[in-house]
Amino acid sequence: AFLLMRSDYAYIGWGVWGMTWPVGTSFDGPHNTTGPPLTRPPQLDADYGEPLDDSCTESEDESGVFTRSWSKATVTLDCNAFTASITDEIR
């Protein structure tokens, strides 16, 4: 959903000023004292390019499926099933 709505510039952060993700844990490091080490999701490091659209669009009227094209991927969110996909594309 983040890639559907964000602008050209965005920042995702965690572990600053007492904020952790998920609540009470942190990614690998000395502050993760509540459970097994978590790994950083690879999607956070992927390069999806630049947005080609100003915003997401619904695939069909009242379908509940939204897409947005990026220069290196297409992002889709199905709000009915709450499933998302990121399809890498060579343009």
Side-chain angles (χ1 to χ4, degrees):
F2 177 76
L3 289 171
L4 289 175
M5 299 180 292
R6 64 160 273 203
S7 66
D8 291 348
Y9 302 94
Y11 173 79
I12 295 179
W14 73 91
V16 179
W17 304 302
M19 295 180 289
T20 58
W21 181 90
V23 175
T25 64
S26 66
F27 289 103
D28 297 339
H31 303 292
N32 183 3
T33 60
T34 60
L38 301 173
T39 57
R40 181 178 168 93
Q43 293 85 353
L44 292 179
D45 296 319
D47 179 7
Y48 302 109
E50 299 177 8
L52 301 179
D53 307 316
D54 290 335
S55 61
C56 65
T57 57
E58 195 167 9
S59 59
E60 296 178 18
D61 286 342
E62 300 184 30
S63 68
V65 178
F66 297 86
T67 61
R68 187 172 186 194
S69 296
W70 292 73
S71 58
K72 297 181 182 181
T74 298
V75 179
T76 303
L77 175 64
D78 182 341
C79 292
N80 303 300
F82 207 70
T83 56
S85 64
I86 301 172
T87 306
D88 295 336
E89 297 181 8
I90 299 173
R91 296 181 192 266

